[in-house]
Amino acid sequence: MNDARRSIDPTTDRATAALLLGCRPSQVGYCARCQGRTVRYGPHALVVCPACRAAEQAGGL
């Protein structure tokens, strides 16, 4: 199984992105690095999406 994380395309609508991210559509926003969709607002907000965070931890950014 491939555990590589991928960013969510910025053209993905908020409702679909929310389903993928496990949050409400009102919490969806853009990643500060790749501009992909992420949980940008609310109690579990991330400025950087999980894909960019994983790349950073792997030394890719």
Side-chain angles (χ1 to χ4, degrees):
M1 175 165 71
N2 186 359
D3 192 31
R5 296 182 184 230
R6 298 183 340 169
S7 62
I8 299 173
D9 190 289
T11 61
T12 303
D13 65 271
R14 283 179 177 258
T16 301
L19 286 172
L20 295 170
L21 293 166
C23 67
R24 297 189 331 236
S26 62
Q27 294 175 298
V28 175
Y30 295 103
C31 171
R33 290 212 173 106
C34 72
Q35 299 304 305
R37 296 290 197 162
T38 192
V39 181
R40 188 65 193 262
Y41 310 103
H44 303 289
L46 298 171
V47 176
V48 178
C49 73
C52 288
R53 187 172 299 240
E56 182 179 277
Q57 290 175 350
L61 290 178

Short mmCIF file of all heavy atoms in Angstrom, two decimals:
data_model
loop_
_atom_site.label_atom_id
_atom_site.label_comp_id
_atom_site.label_asym_id
_atom_site.label_seq_id
_atom_site.Cartn_x
_atom_site.Cartn_y
_atom_site.Cartn_z
N MET A 1 0.84 -1.18 0.00
CA MET A 1 0.00 0.00 0.00
C MET A 1 0.88 1.24 0.00
O MET A 1 1.83 1.34 0.75
CB MET A 1 -0.90 -0.03 1.24
CG MET A 1 -1.72 1.22 1.37
SD MET A 1 -3.09 1.11 2.53
CE MET A 1 -2.29 1.07 4.10
N ASN A 2 0.55 2.22 -0.83
CA ASN A 2 1.30 3.46 -0.93
C ASN A 2 0.75 4.46 0.08
O ASN A 2 -0.40 4.85 0.03
CB ASN A 2 1.17 4.02 -2.35
CG ASN A 2 2.05 5.22 -2.56
OD1 ASN A 2 2.74 5.67 -1.65
ND2 ASN A 2 2.05 5.73 -3.77
N ASP A 3 1.60 4.91 1.03
CA ASP A 3 1.16 5.84 2.07
C ASP A 3 1.50 7.29 1.72
O ASP A 3 1.38 8.17 2.54
CB ASP A 3 1.82 5.45 3.40
CG ASP A 3 1.19 6.18 4.57
OD1 ASP A 3 -0.01 6.49 4.51
OD2 ASP A 3 1.91 6.46 5.55
N ALA A 4 1.92 7.55 0.48
CA ALA A 4 2.27 8.91 0.07
C ALA A 4 1.01 9.78 0.09
O ALA A 4 -0.02 9.40 -0.45
CB ALA A 4 2.88 8.90 -1.32
N ARG A 5 1.13 10.92 0.72
CA ARG A 5 0.00 11.84 0.78
C ARG A 5 0.02 12.74 -0.44
O ARG A 5 1.08 13.15 -0.90
CB ARG A 5 0.08 12.67 2.05
CG ARG A 5 -0.07 11.83 3.28
CD ARG A 5 -0.04 12.69 4.50
NE ARG A 5 -0.09 11.84 5.67
CZ ARG A 5 -0.94 12.02 6.65
NH1 ARG A 5 -1.78 13.02 6.63
NH2 ARG A 5 -0.94 11.22 7.67
N ARG A 6 -1.16 13.05 -0.92
CA ARG A 6 -1.29 13.95 -2.06
C ARG A 6 -2.13 15.14 -1.65
O ARG A 6 -3.06 15.01 -0.86
CB ARG A 6 -1.95 13.23 -3.23
CG ARG A 6 -1.16 12.07 -3.72
CD ARG A 6 -1.76 11.39 -4.90
NE ARG A 6 -3.18 11.65 -5.10
CZ ARG A 6 -3.83 11.31 -6.17
NH1 ARG A 6 -3.23 10.71 -7.15
NH2 ARG A 6 -5.11 11.57 -6.29
N SER A 7 -1.81 16.28 -2.22
CA SER A 7 -2.62 17.46 -1.92
C SER A 7 -3.94 17.37 -2.69
O SER A 7 -4.03 16.70 -3.71
CB SER A 7 -1.87 18.74 -2.27
OG SER A 7 -1.60 18.78 -3.64
N ILE A 8 -4.94 18.06 -2.19
CA ILE A 8 -6.24 18.10 -2.84
C ILE A 8 -6.24 19.28 -3.80
O ILE A 8 -5.94 20.41 -3.42
CB ILE A 8 -7.36 18.23 -1.79
CG1 ILE A 8 -7.34 17.02 -0.86
CG2 ILE A 8 -8.72 18.37 -2.48
CD1 ILE A 8 -8.30 17.13 0.31
N ASP A 9 -6.57 19.01 -5.04
CA ASP A 9 -6.57 20.02 -6.09
C ASP A 9 -7.36 21.25 -5.66
O ASP A 9 -8.46 21.13 -5.11
CB ASP A 9 -7.19 19.42 -7.35
CG ASP A 9 -7.02 20.30 -8.55
OD1 ASP A 9 -7.67 21.37 -8.61
OD2 ASP A 9 -6.23 19.93 -9.43
N PRO A 10 -6.82 22.45 -5.90
CA PRO A 10 -7.51 23.67 -5.48
C PRO A 10 -8.84 23.92 -6.19
O PRO A 10 -9.67 24.69 -5.70
CB PRO A 10 -6.51 24.79 -5.79
CG PRO A 10 -5.49 24.20 -6.67
CD PRO A 10 -5.52 22.71 -6.48
N THR A 11 -9.09 23.25 -7.31
CA THR A 11 -10.36 23.42 -8.01
C THR A 11 -11.45 22.52 -7.44
O THR A 11 -12.60 22.63 -7.84
CB THR A 11 -10.20 23.16 -9.52
OG1 THR A 11 -9.77 21.81 -9.72
CG2 THR A 11 -9.22 24.12 -10.14
N THR A 12 -11.09 21.64 -6.50
CA THR A 12 -12.07 20.77 -5.85
C THR A 12 -13.02 21.63 -5.03
O THR A 12 -12.59 22.50 -4.29
CB THR A 12 -11.36 19.75 -4.93
OG1 THR A 12 -10.40 19.02 -5.69
CG2 THR A 12 -12.34 18.81 -4.28
N ASP A 13 -14.33 21.37 -5.17
CA ASP A 13 -15.28 22.19 -4.43
C ASP A 13 -15.17 21.90 -2.93
O ASP A 13 -14.68 20.86 -2.51
CB ASP A 13 -16.71 21.97 -4.93
CG ASP A 13 -17.19 20.56 -4.68
OD1 ASP A 13 -16.98 19.70 -5.55
OD2 ASP A 13 -17.78 20.33 -3.62
N ARG A 14 -15.61 22.86 -2.13
CA ARG A 14 -15.47 22.78 -0.67
C ARG A 14 -16.16 21.55 -0.09
O ARG A 14 -15.65 20.93 0.83
CB ARG A 14 -16.06 24.03 -0.01
CG ARG A 14 -15.18 25.21 -0.11
CD ARG A 14 -15.87 26.41 0.56
NE ARG A 14 -15.02 27.56 0.54
CZ ARG A 14 -14.32 27.98 1.59
NH1 ARG A 14 -14.43 27.38 2.73
NH2 ARG A 14 -13.55 29.03 1.49
N ALA A 15 -17.33 21.19 -0.59
CA ALA A 15 -18.07 20.05 -0.05
C ALA A 15 -17.30 18.75 -0.24
O ALA A 15 -17.20 17.93 0.67
CB ALA A 15 -19.45 19.96 -0.68
N THR A 16 -16.76 18.55 -1.43
CA THR A 16 -15.99 17.34 -1.70
C THR A 16 -14.70 17.32 -0.89
O THR A 16 -14.34 16.30 -0.31
CB THR A 16 -15.67 17.24 -3.21
OG1 THR A 16 -16.90 17.23 -3.94
CG2 THR A 16 -14.87 16.00 -3.52
N ALA A 17 -14.01 18.46 -0.83
CA ALA A 17 -12.79 18.54 -0.04
C ALA A 17 -13.08 18.26 1.43
O ALA A 17 -12.30 17.58 2.10
CB ALA A 17 -12.14 19.91 -0.21
N ALA A 18 -14.20 18.76 1.92
CA ALA A 18 -14.57 18.52 3.32
C ALA A 18 -14.77 17.04 3.60
O ALA A 18 -14.36 16.53 4.64
CB ALA A 18 -15.83 19.31 3.67
N LEU A 19 -15.39 16.33 2.66
CA LEU A 19 -15.56 14.88 2.81
C LEU A 19 -14.20 14.18 2.87
O LEU A 19 -13.98 13.30 3.70
CB LEU A 19 -16.38 14.31 1.66
CG LEU A 19 -17.87 14.60 1.69
CD1 LEU A 19 -18.52 14.14 0.40
CD2 LEU A 19 -18.52 13.94 2.89
N LEU A 20 -13.29 14.58 2.01
CA LEU A 20 -11.95 13.97 1.98
C LEU A 20 -11.15 14.30 3.24
O LEU A 20 -10.36 13.48 3.71
CB LEU A 20 -11.19 14.45 0.74
CG LEU A 20 -11.75 14.01 -0.61
CD1 LEU A 20 -11.04 14.74 -1.73
CD2 LEU A 20 -11.61 12.51 -0.78
N LEU A 21 -11.35 15.49 3.77
CA LEU A 21 -10.59 15.95 4.92
C LEU A 21 -11.24 15.61 6.26
O LEU A 21 -10.60 15.72 7.30
CB LEU A 21 -10.39 17.47 4.84
CG LEU A 21 -9.52 17.95 3.68
CD1 LEU A 21 -9.68 19.44 3.49
CD2 LEU A 21 -8.07 17.58 3.93
N GLY A 22 -12.51 15.23 6.23
CA GLY A 22 -13.21 14.91 7.46
C GLY A 22 -13.58 16.12 8.29
O GLY A 22 -13.47 16.11 9.51
N CYS A 23 -14.00 17.19 7.61
CA CYS A 23 -14.38 18.42 8.32
C CYS A 23 -15.61 19.01 7.65
O CYS A 23 -16.16 18.44 6.72
CB CYS A 23 -13.22 19.42 8.29
SG CYS A 23 -12.83 20.06 6.66
N ARG A 24 -16.04 20.17 8.13
CA ARG A 24 -17.17 20.87 7.53
C ARG A 24 -16.68 21.73 6.37
O ARG A 24 -15.55 22.22 6.38
CB ARG A 24 -17.85 21.75 8.57
CG ARG A 24 -18.45 20.94 9.71
CD ARG A 24 -19.30 21.77 10.63
NE ARG A 24 -18.91 23.16 10.71
CZ ARG A 24 -18.59 23.80 11.81
NH1 ARG A 24 -18.64 23.19 12.97
NH2 ARG A 24 -18.25 25.07 11.78
N PRO A 25 -17.52 21.96 5.36
CA PRO A 25 -17.12 22.80 4.23
C PRO A 25 -16.65 24.20 4.64
O PRO A 25 -15.75 24.76 4.02
CB PRO A 25 -18.39 22.88 3.38
CG PRO A 25 -19.10 21.61 3.67
CD PRO A 25 -18.84 21.35 5.14
N SER A 26 -17.20 24.75 5.72
CA SER A 26 -16.80 26.08 6.16
C SER A 26 -15.38 26.10 6.73
O SER A 26 -14.81 27.17 6.91
CB SER A 26 -17.78 26.61 7.21
OG SER A 26 -17.78 25.78 8.36
N GLN A 27 -14.80 24.95 7.00
CA GLN A 27 -13.45 24.86 7.54
C GLN A 27 -12.39 24.70 6.45
O GLN A 27 -11.21 24.74 6.74
CB GLN A 27 -13.34 23.69 8.51
CG GLN A 27 -14.17 23.88 9.76
CD GLN A 27 -14.14 22.67 10.64
OE1 GLN A 27 -14.57 21.60 10.26
NE2 GLN A 27 -13.61 22.85 11.83
N VAL A 28 -12.80 24.50 5.21
CA VAL A 28 -11.88 24.25 4.11
C VAL A 28 -11.30 25.56 3.58
O VAL A 28 -12.01 26.55 3.40
CB VAL A 28 -12.59 23.49 2.97
CG1 VAL A 28 -11.69 23.33 1.75
CG2 VAL A 28 -13.06 22.13 3.45
N GLY A 29 -9.99 25.56 3.35
CA GLY A 29 -9.31 26.70 2.78
C GLY A 29 -8.11 26.22 1.99
O GLY A 29 -7.99 25.03 1.68
N TYR A 30 -7.20 27.13 1.66
CA TYR A 30 -6.06 26.80 0.83
C TYR A 30 -4.78 26.64 1.64
O TYR A 30 -4.52 27.40 2.57
CB TYR A 30 -5.84 27.89 -0.22
CG TYR A 30 -6.98 27.97 -1.20
CD1 TYR A 30 -7.93 28.98 -1.11
CD2 TYR A 30 -7.11 27.02 -2.20
CE1 TYR A 30 -8.98 29.04 -2.00
CE2 TYR A 30 -8.17 27.08 -3.10
CZ TYR A 30 -9.09 28.08 -2.99
OH TYR A 30 -10.13 28.14 -3.87
N CYS A 31 -3.95 25.68 1.26
CA CYS A 31 -2.63 25.47 1.85
C CYS A 31 -1.74 26.66 1.49
O CYS A 31 -1.76 27.15 0.36
CB CYS A 31 -2.02 24.18 1.30
SG CYS A 31 -0.28 23.91 1.72
N ALA A 32 -0.97 27.12 2.45
CA ALA A 32 -0.10 28.27 2.23
C ALA A 32 1.05 27.95 1.27
O ALA A 32 1.62 28.86 0.67
CB ALA A 32 0.47 28.76 3.55
N ARG A 33 1.39 26.69 1.09
CA ARG A 33 2.50 26.31 0.21
C ARG A 33 2.04 25.94 -1.20
O ARG A 33 2.49 26.50 -2.17
CB ARG A 33 3.29 25.16 0.82
CG ARG A 33 4.06 25.59 2.02
CD ARG A 33 5.34 24.79 2.14
NE ARG A 33 6.12 25.35 3.22
CZ ARG A 33 6.27 24.77 4.40
NH1 ARG A 33 5.72 23.61 4.62
NH2 ARG A 33 6.98 25.36 5.33
N CYS A 34 1.17 24.94 -1.29
CA CYS A 34 0.81 24.41 -2.62
C CYS A 34 -0.53 24.93 -3.14
O CYS A 34 -0.90 24.64 -4.26
CB CYS A 34 0.78 22.88 -2.57
SG CYS A 34 -0.62 22.19 -1.65
N GLN A 35 -1.26 25.65 -2.30
CA GLN A 35 -2.59 26.18 -2.63
C GLN A 35 -3.64 25.09 -2.80
O GLN A 35 -4.73 25.35 -3.28
CB GLN A 35 -2.55 27.08 -3.88
CG GLN A 35 -1.67 28.30 -3.72
CD GLN A 35 -2.06 29.15 -2.52
OE1 GLN A 35 -3.20 29.55 -2.41
NE2 GLN A 35 -1.13 29.40 -1.63
N GLY A 36 -3.31 23.85 -2.40
CA GLY A 36 -4.31 22.78 -2.39
C GLY A 36 -5.27 23.00 -1.23
O GLY A 36 -5.06 23.85 -0.37
N ARG A 37 -6.33 22.24 -1.20
CA ARG A 37 -7.33 22.36 -0.14
C ARG A 37 -6.84 21.70 1.15
O ARG A 37 -6.20 20.66 1.12
CB ARG A 37 -8.64 21.71 -0.56
CG ARG A 37 -9.30 22.38 -1.75
CD ARG A 37 -9.83 23.72 -1.38
NE ARG A 37 -10.78 24.18 -2.39
CZ ARG A 37 -11.64 25.13 -2.18
NH1 ARG A 37 -11.68 25.76 -1.04
NH2 ARG A 37 -12.46 25.49 -3.12
N THR A 38 -7.15 22.31 2.29
CA THR A 38 -6.82 21.76 3.60
C THR A 38 -7.82 22.27 4.63
O THR A 38 -8.64 23.13 4.33
CB THR A 38 -5.37 22.12 4.03
OG1 THR A 38 -5.02 21.34 5.17
CG2 THR A 38 -5.20 23.59 4.33
N VAL A 39 -7.76 21.73 5.85
CA VAL A 39 -8.57 22.22 6.95
C VAL A 39 -7.89 23.50 7.43
O VAL A 39 -6.93 23.47 8.17
CB VAL A 39 -8.67 21.19 8.10
CG1 VAL A 39 -9.54 21.74 9.22
CG2 VAL A 39 -9.20 19.87 7.61
N ARG A 40 -8.36 24.62 6.97
CA ARG A 40 -7.70 25.89 7.23
C ARG A 40 -8.32 26.66 8.38
O ARG A 40 -7.69 27.52 8.98
CB ARG A 40 -7.75 26.73 5.95
CG ARG A 40 -6.94 28.00 5.98
CD ARG A 40 -5.46 27.69 6.09
NE ARG A 40 -4.69 28.87 6.42
CZ ARG A 40 -4.05 29.62 5.54
NH1 ARG A 40 -4.07 29.31 4.27
NH2 ARG A 40 -3.39 30.67 5.94
N TYR A 41 -9.55 26.36 8.73
CA TYR A 41 -10.27 27.09 9.77
C TYR A 41 -10.86 26.12 10.79
O TYR A 41 -11.16 24.99 10.48
CB TYR A 41 -11.39 27.93 9.15
CG TYR A 41 -10.90 28.77 8.00
CD1 TYR A 41 -11.15 28.42 6.69
CD2 TYR A 41 -10.13 29.91 8.25
CE1 TYR A 41 -10.68 29.18 5.64
CE2 TYR A 41 -9.65 30.67 7.19
CZ TYR A 41 -9.93 30.31 5.90
OH TYR A 41 -9.45 31.05 4.86
N GLY A 42 -11.01 26.58 12.01
CA GLY A 42 -11.61 25.77 13.06
C GLY A 42 -10.58 25.23 14.04
O GLY A 42 -9.40 25.59 13.99
N PRO A 43 -11.01 24.35 14.94
CA PRO A 43 -10.15 23.88 16.03
C PRO A 43 -8.96 23.04 15.57
O PRO A 43 -7.97 22.96 16.28
CB PRO A 43 -11.10 23.06 16.91
CG PRO A 43 -12.24 22.70 16.04
CD PRO A 43 -12.36 23.80 15.02
N HIS A 44 -9.02 22.40 14.42
CA HIS A 44 -7.92 21.57 13.93
C HIS A 44 -7.29 22.16 12.68
O HIS A 44 -6.84 21.44 11.79
CB HIS A 44 -8.42 20.15 13.67
CG HIS A 44 -9.04 19.52 14.86
ND1 HIS A 44 -8.31 19.11 15.95
CD2 HIS A 44 -10.33 19.26 15.16
CE1 HIS A 44 -9.13 18.63 16.86
NE2 HIS A 44 -10.36 18.71 16.42
N ALA A 45 -7.26 23.47 12.61
CA ALA A 45 -6.77 24.18 11.43
C ALA A 45 -5.29 23.93 11.18
O ALA A 45 -4.49 23.81 12.11
CB ALA A 45 -7.02 25.67 11.58
N LEU A 46 -4.93 23.85 9.90
CA LEU A 46 -3.55 23.69 9.46
C LEU A 46 -3.26 24.73 8.39
O LEU A 46 -4.01 24.88 7.44
CB LEU A 46 -3.34 22.30 8.84
CG LEU A 46 -3.57 21.10 9.75
CD1 LEU A 46 -3.52 19.83 8.92
CD2 LEU A 46 -2.52 21.06 10.83
N VAL A 47 -2.18 25.45 8.54
CA VAL A 47 -1.79 26.43 7.53
C VAL A 47 -1.21 25.71 6.32
O VAL A 47 -1.36 26.13 5.19
CB VAL A 47 -0.77 27.44 8.11
CG1 VAL A 47 -0.28 28.40 7.05
CG2 VAL A 47 -1.41 28.20 9.25
N VAL A 48 -0.58 24.56 6.59
CA VAL A 48 0.06 23.76 5.54
C VAL A 48 -0.68 22.42 5.47
O VAL A 48 -0.96 21.80 6.50
CB VAL A 48 1.55 23.54 5.87
CG1 VAL A 48 2.22 22.68 4.83
CG2 VAL A 48 2.26 24.86 5.99
N CYS A 49 -1.00 21.95 4.27
CA CYS A 49 -1.76 20.70 4.11
C CYS A 49 -0.93 19.48 4.54
O CYS A 49 0.31 19.56 4.63
CB CYS A 49 -2.23 20.56 2.67
SG CYS A 49 -0.95 20.14 1.47
N PRO A 50 -1.58 18.37 4.80
CA PRO A 50 -0.86 17.16 5.20
C PRO A 50 0.20 16.71 4.19
O PRO A 50 1.25 16.20 4.58
CB PRO A 50 -1.97 16.11 5.34
CG PRO A 50 -3.18 16.91 5.68
CD PRO A 50 -3.02 18.19 4.89
N ALA A 51 -0.05 16.89 2.90
CA ALA A 51 0.93 16.49 1.89
C ALA A 51 2.20 17.33 1.98
O ALA A 51 3.32 16.80 1.94
CB ALA A 51 0.33 16.62 0.49
N CYS A 52 2.05 18.63 2.14
CA CYS A 52 3.23 19.51 2.28
C CYS A 52 3.94 19.25 3.61
O CYS A 52 5.17 19.27 3.67
CB CYS A 52 2.82 20.97 2.18
SG CYS A 52 2.36 21.47 0.51
N ARG A 53 3.17 18.98 4.66
CA ARG A 53 3.77 18.68 5.96
C ARG A 53 4.59 17.39 5.89
O ARG A 53 5.69 17.31 6.42
CB ARG A 53 2.68 18.56 7.01
CG ARG A 53 3.19 18.40 8.41
CD ARG A 53 2.03 18.48 9.36
NE ARG A 53 1.44 19.80 9.20
CZ ARG A 53 1.34 20.69 10.16
NH1 ARG A 53 1.74 20.40 11.36
NH2 ARG A 53 0.81 21.87 9.92
N ALA A 54 4.07 16.36 5.21
CA ALA A 54 4.79 15.09 5.06
C ALA A 54 6.06 15.30 4.25
O ALA A 54 7.12 14.73 4.58
CB ALA A 54 3.89 14.05 4.41
N ALA A 55 5.98 16.10 3.18
CA ALA A 55 7.16 16.37 2.37
C ALA A 55 8.22 17.12 3.17
O ALA A 55 9.41 16.85 3.04
CB ALA A 55 6.77 17.18 1.12
N GLU A 56 7.76 18.04 4.01
CA GLU A 56 8.69 18.81 4.86
C GLU A 56 9.39 17.88 5.85
O GLU A 56 10.60 17.97 6.04
CB GLU A 56 7.91 19.88 5.61
CG GLU A 56 8.77 20.77 6.49
CD GLU A 56 7.93 21.81 7.16
OE1 GLU A 56 7.65 22.85 6.52
OE2 GLU A 56 7.53 21.58 8.32
N GLN A 57 8.65 16.98 6.46
CA GLN A 57 9.23 16.05 7.41
C GLN A 57 10.18 15.07 6.75
O GLN A 57 11.13 14.60 7.37
CB GLN A 57 8.13 15.30 8.17
CG GLN A 57 7.38 16.20 9.12
CD GLN A 57 6.22 15.49 9.79
OE1 GLN A 57 5.85 14.38 9.43
NE2 GLN A 57 5.63 16.15 10.77
N ALA A 58 9.92 14.76 5.48
CA ALA A 58 10.79 13.86 4.73
C ALA A 58 12.02 14.58 4.18
O ALA A 58 12.88 13.97 3.56
CB ALA A 58 10.01 13.21 3.60
N GLY A 59 12.08 15.90 4.37
CA GLY A 59 13.21 16.68 3.91
C GLY A 59 13.08 17.15 2.46
O GLY A 59 14.04 17.60 1.87
N GLY A 60 11.85 17.09 1.93
CA GLY A 60 11.63 17.47 0.55
C GLY A 60 11.41 18.95 0.33
O GLY A 60 11.45 19.45 -0.78
N LEU A 61 11.14 19.71 1.40
CA LEU A 61 10.91 21.16 1.23
C LEU A 61 11.84 21.94 2.10
O LEU A 61 12.26 21.59 3.11
CB LEU A 61 9.46 21.52 1.60
CG LEU A 61 8.40 21.02 0.66
CD1 LEU A 61 7.01 21.40 1.16
CD2 LEU A 61 8.58 21.57 -0.73
#
